[in-house]
Amino acid sequence: MIAAYILSCAFLAFAFNGLRIWPRTLAMTETLRVAVSILRDRTLSDEEKERLLRRQSVEAFGLVATVTAALAATFLAAAAPVAVAEMAGWLDWRGFLAFSLRPAVVVATVAVFAAAPWLRSRLPTN
């Protein structure tokens, strides 16, 4: 069960980084900020605002769809080790869920994910 949990967390982290979810989310947020600034701009006419907002909305929709698909793929990747282990009869998903929601496991997982960037920055790069 612990091996499946560690693999699941590793798959989650690798998929999250590999699919560049954080940079995509930042790009989506920036696109929406630009849209709000267009709405607030008093120097633009309504026609100009409409034209610019159409462009921003198409870009935002594409980013939202991309982030949504990437998150779905990330969670599917994280679920894969658990699904394989359950099909092989090595664990029961209810027991796995109960294990993964234990406070000590949640705290340890958050601590590892929070410390990972710091730990990576301490590794020598050759």
Side-chain angles (χ1 to χ4, degrees):
M1 181 158 337
I2 293 173
Y5 186 78
I6 291 170
L7 275 175
S8 181
C9 288
F11 283 20
L12 176 80
F14 288 128
F16 190 89
N17 288 327
L19 294 173
R20 302 180 55 241
I21 291 175
W22 190 248
R24 291 174 196 265
T25 303
L26 293 175
M28 182 178 62
T29 304
E30 183 58 29
T31 300
L32 296 174
R33 270 195 203 122
V34 169
V36 169
S37 70
I38 291 169
L39 282 173
R40 290 184 176 170
D41 192 343
R42 295 177 191 262
T43 63
L44 296 172
S45 69
D46 287 345
E47 291 81 20
E48 290 172 314
K49 285 181 182 181
E50 181 181 354
R51 182 179 53 80
L52 292 170
L53 285 172
R54 264 180 221 254
R55 187 178 306 142
Q56 290 302 117
S57 65
V58 168
E59 185 177 339
F61 180 77
L63 288 167
V64 167
T66 302
V67 169
T68 301
L71 283 171
T74 298
F75 292 123
L76 284 173
V82 179
V84 169
E86 185 177 31
M87 285 189 286
W90 298 330
L91 64 80
D92 173 51
W93 72 268
R94 289 175 194 87
F96 179 83
L97 184 61
F99 168 79
S100 64
L101 293 177
R102 289 182 186 166
V105 174
V106 172
V107 168
T109 303
V110 170
V112 168
F113 276 112
W118 178 79
L119 291 171
R120 256 187 272 134
S121 72
R122 309 295 266 162
L123 293 174
T125 55
N126 291 332

